[in-house]
Amino acid sequence: MLNNIISNLINAENPKVEDAKQLIKEIYLEDHRPWVVGYSGGKDSTVVVQLVFEALADLPKEKLHKKVYVISSDTLVETPLIISSINNTLRRVQDRALLMGLPIETHKVKPDFDQTFWANIIGKGYPSPNQKFRWCTDRLKIDPANQFIKEKVSTFGEVIMVLGVRDDESVTRGNTMKSHTVEGKVLMRHSTLSNAYVFAPIRNFTLEDIWDYLLDENSPSPWGDDNHELNKLYQDSSSSRECPLVVDKSVKESAGSCGNSRFGCWTCTVVTKDKALNGFIENGEDWMRPLLEFRNWLAEIRDNRNYRQKYRKHGKIYFRNVRVENIDEEDYVIIPKKASRKEEITKLESFTIVEKSALKSFLKKNNIDLSRDEDNSLLIKDGETYQQLGLGPFTMKARETILRKLLEVQRDLKHPSGEHYELIKDEEIKVIRRYWLENDDFEDRVPQIFREVMGYDLDWEYDDRPLFDKEQLSDLELLCDEMKVDMKVLKRLISIEKEYNGYKIRRGVSQDIEKTLKQDYLHL
């Protein structure tokens, strides 16, 4: 009797909580579609998981007729303290659910090793993400989560995503949610996944509602977490945002970057300043300083022309317009920058001006390789317009530098647990090696760099050995120079032959050879 009185008093003080629980029960009992609950470790998703857990605990056991999957996204570059907290919570939720007989399962979803942050940056040479080229969200978060959802759809026909999204989180997010809402219906359409629907039980919660519920001593975490510790993570932060579990490409932009969030990736280069790592360091986690320094360096080198090829991945050349202006009786080149970054201003005399029609002969005469770590400060004149060669992937030398520095940070990191903490997985390093070999790294540099930095070898695949030794490579380079043959093209053609070797039907080999021979930079 006393418990019921106390419960009624609590509910009267916080009617939104009781309404949300009641709605969760009604939607759960409505059909047999399983639920997939997104959990990021932040405040909003914690509220949703806790409300779902409490609502299911209130139902009679015979009515717990379908599974609830609590999934968390591990991008493999999560902030170390946060992923540790998420792992602990998932274990506690699972243990408590089993003890109470609730149909809750916890899972972590991860990108495939050939799609991770480091596989793309170091392996393929992708420039680090920014606001205009935020390739990371799809590969690291959306695709792994959607793969999990698709597997459940294929098994059960339809699923319901339960997400901690709120209308007042941002104007953009609120408008996006409204656009997906069907009038009179609680569930929203999922715009990119057929047979998947979205349920947002805390949609009308305010920030104050969130913390009132989490910090209410009468509503502790049912699995034993201390929500005051979660609140501490948000203290002294200029942002109360969390990094949501993004499962819809159409709302990726409204989800925004997680670089200003305590619950994003430690490698986030989308924002100018990483407030998350700075905040942790300022609050005593000084061991994370090497991560911040590495992240800042990675952001700085992104637009350094010496670190980037001057053509895109498949050899395509493009040009970017710049302005030449007279300032205080001197001519300057004004190089525009994307997003909110300041324009770069350099004296015109620092550049070598080349007519566009004479570019090919100039490059050949001066033996300039557009894939190398050099820029030559070329300014291309096309009539009255001035241009620069556009930038492509990180050069191979840049990727070697990034890999070496990352391994050095990993080797020297003083993680408080005292255990060896992996910033990059062994499986990712092996994928990077494969990408480099496919990209004509005949010297097989990955095992060499790993051994030099870490002091031991991984269990490398025998079949991935390079085709030529150093002496043979040297002979090939001399022969290419003598015969005026592009060494990169020769390497690519040899790699294509290796790739198709042994196949009775070599479908696609002609197209691959044709693409190699038609690369833009060969025919300027």
Side-chain angles (χ1 to χ4, degrees):
M1 182 65 128
L2 181 60
N3 287 338
N4 288 335
I5 294 173
I6 294 174
S7 178
N8 290 334
L9 286 172
I10 294 171
N11 294 335
E13 292 175 3
N14 200 342
K16 284 186 182 179
V17 170
E18 181 60 20
D19 289 345
K21 284 187 190 178
Q22 186 59 35
L23 183 60
I24 288 169
K25 294 175 189 176
E26 292 173 5
I27 300 299
Y28 179 84
L29 296 172
E30 203 170 70
D31 53 51
H32 286 78
R33 290 178 289 186
W35 284 11
V36 178
V37 184
Y39 175 66
S40 70
K43 62 188 188 314
D44 295 337
S45 63
T46 299
V47 168
V48 168
V49 175
Q50 191 164 319
L51 285 171
V52 169
F53 197 106
E54 292 173 353
L56 294 186
D58 286 344
L59 291 174
K61 289 290 188 290
E62 64 271 15
K63 291 190 175 183
L64 299 175
H65 63 293
K66 64 183 182 183
K67 285 282 189 182
V68 173
Y69 302 96
V70 177
I71 69 169
S72 186
S73 177
D74 182 359
T75 62
L76 302 182
V77 282
E78 300 292 325
T79 303
L81 289 179
I82 298 304
I83 196 60
S84 175
S85 173
I86 289 173
N87 290 341
N88 288 334
T89 295
L90 290 178
R91 281 195 295 270
R92 289 169 183 159
V93 170
Q94 185 67 86
D95 290 346
R96 188 62 179 169
L98 286 171
L99 186 65
M100 296 177 64
L102 301 180
I104 295 175
E105 287 185 14
T106 61
H107 297 267
K108 273 202 311 183
V109 294
K110 302 176 183 180
D112 293 336
F113 286 119
D114 60 357
Q115 290 297 328
T116 67
F117 188 82
W118 300 124
N120 279 288
I121 284 188
I122 303 175
K124 297 181 181 178
Y126 274 44
S128 48
N130 64 11
Q131 286 287 1
K132 298 294 183 181
F133 186 44
R134 215 172 77 206
W135 53 263
C136 50
T137 306
D138 286 356
R139 288 169 173 79
L140 307 187
K141 296 178 77 79
I142 295 177
D143 291 345
N146 282 356
Q147 183 59 39
F148 183 92
I149 297 165
K150 287 175 182 176
E151 289 173 2
K152 299 310 171 190
V153 168
S154 68
T155 302
F156 298 100
E158 293 182 339
V159 298
I160 295 174
M161 289 294 304
V162 187
L163 303 178
V165 290
R166 297 182 289 113
D167 284 335
D168 83 334
E169 191 173 0
S170 71
V171 174
T172 305
R173 173 62 64 83
N175 291 336
T176 302
M177 290 174 66
K178 288 174 185 174
S179 71
H180 290 274
T181 301
V182 178
E183 188 174 352
K185 301 288 186 181
V186 174
L187 302 183
M188 293 176 280
R189 296 185 301 267
H190 195 293
S191 66
T192 55
L193 286 177
S194 58
N195 297 331
Y197 300 85
V198 175
F199 174 33
I202 62 167
R203 181 172 178 174
N204 66 337
F205 276 44
T206 65
L207 182 61
E208 185 178 4
D209 294 328
I210 293 293
W211 287 119
D212 282 349
Y213 171 64
L214 288 175
L215 301 181
D216 189 336
E217 293 183 1
N218 296 304
S219 299
S221 165
W223 49 82
D225 277 357
D226 185 351
N227 288 331
H228 288 83
E229 289 297 319
L230 177 64
N231 179 250
K232 186 179 179 182
L233 288 174
Y234 283 95
Q235 291 175 357
D236 304 320
S237 172
S238 60
S239 171
S240 61
R241 295 178 58 252
E242 65 182 85
C243 191
L245 183 85
V246 184
V247 295
D248 193 334
K249 295 189 180 186
S250 70
V251 299
K252 178 174 71 173
E253 297 307 319
S254 69
S257 158
C258 302
N260 287 331
S261 161
R262 290 300 175 104
F263 302 90
C265 302
W266 71 268
T267 56
C268 185
T269 55
V270 175
V271 291
T272 304
K273 183 179 181 181
D274 191 313
K275 296 179 181 178
L277 286 178
N278 272 294
F280 281 124
I281 292 168
E282 289 170 3
N283 286 307
E285 304 291 345
D286 199 61
W287 65 272
M288 298 178 73
R289 192 175 299 279
L291 302 187
L292 178 61
E293 292 171 352
F294 181 89
R295 176 265 168 204
N296 290 343
W297 172 78
L298 189 62
E300 288 170 5
I301 67 170
R302 186 193 193 280
D303 293 330
N304 186 327
R305 297 182 65 84
N306 291 322
Y307 281 82
R308 302 275 294 277
Q309 294 181 4
K310 312 310 180 294
Y311 52 80
R312 289 191 168 125
K313 181 180 178 182
H314 296 296
K316 184 176 178 57
I317 295 284
Y318 71 104
F319 300 90
R320 296 179 59 192
N321 288 344
V322 299
R323 306 193 311 273
V324 175
E325 295 182 4
N326 187 276
I327 304 173
D328 296 331
E329 299 184 354
E330 279 199 83
D331 288 331
Y332 288 86
V333 176
I334 315 295
I335 301 172
K337 296 291 182 181
K338 294 180 180 179
S340 59
R341 290 172 296 161
K342 291 183 178 180
E343 295 179 324
E344 185 180 325
I345 303 176
T346 309
K347 286 185 178 181
L348 180 62
E349 63 186 32
S350 303
F351 291 86
T352 300
I353 301 175
V354 181
E355 290 289 339
K356 197 169 190 176
S357 59
L359 180 58
K360 182 177 181 178
S361 59
F362 179 86
L363 295 175
K364 185 175 182 180
K365 179 181 177 181
N366 291 277
N367 197 28
I368 295 174
D369 185 345
L370 298 180
S371 69
R372 293 288 178 85
D373 300 69
E374 54 189 17
D375 182 35
N376 298 288
S377 298
L378 294 182
L379 197 62
I380 299 150
K381 197 168 186 300
D382 185 17
E384 298 300 316
T385 303
Y386 288 92
Q387 300 175 324
Q388 278 187 308
L389 285 165
L391 298 178
F394 280 124
T395 65
M396 283 303 299
K397 186 175 179 181
R399 290 183 238 177
E400 290 181 17
T401 302
I402 296 170
L403 176 59
R404 185 179 294 277
K405 287 179 72 74
L406 177 63
L407 289 172
E408 288 172 350
V409 173
Q410 175 173 291
R411 180 195 63 197
D412 300 334
L413 191 66
K414 306 297 182 185
H415 195 278
S417 68
E419 300 174 357
H420 170 62
Y421 189 84
E422 289 184 323
L423 300 178
I424 180 171
K425 304 291 184 185
D426 291 350
E427 293 88 347
E428 293 177 271
I429 295 171
K430 291 180 179 180
V431 166
I432 289 168
R433 184 195 187 201
R434 173 164 57 82
Y435 281 148
W436 284 17
L437 290 172
E438 290 172 357
N439 197 41
D440 319 322
D441 172 29
F442 286 4
E443 296 181 41
D444 199 18
R445 292 284 295 145
V446 171
Q448 298 175 44
I449 293 170
F450 188 88
R451 188 185 312 111
E452 289 168 7
V453 176
M454 304 303 291
Y456 63 93
D457 281 316
L458 294 180
D459 183 19
W460 303 108
E461 290 292 332
Y462 179 82
D463 289 341
D464 283 343
R465 291 178 304 166
L467 289 172
F468 303 101
D469 59 30
K470 289 186 177 180
E471 290 185 5
Q472 290 171 322
L473 276 177
S474 179
D475 290 340
L476 269 178
E477 288 174 357
L478 290 174
L479 187 59
C480 283
D481 185 61
E482 179 185 342
M483 304 301 294
K484 307 300 181 188
V485 173
D486 189 294
M487 180 66 172
K488 295 189 300 300
V489 172
L490 181 63
K491 284 183 175 181
R492 182 86 282 269
L493 292 174
I494 293 172
S495 293
I496 290 171
E497 175 57 30
K498 178 188 176 185
E499 183 180 342
Y500 285 92
N501 184 43
Y503 287 90
K504 289 183 179 180
I505 300 175
R506 293 155 60 92
R507 188 177 292 111
V509 66
S510 297
Q511 293 90 329
D512 286 351
I513 291 173
E514 184 178 3
K515 279 194 295 186
T516 299
L517 296 177
K518 285 187 174 181
Q519 294 180 89
D520 278 3
Y521 79 90
L522 296 172
H523 308 284
L524 280 171

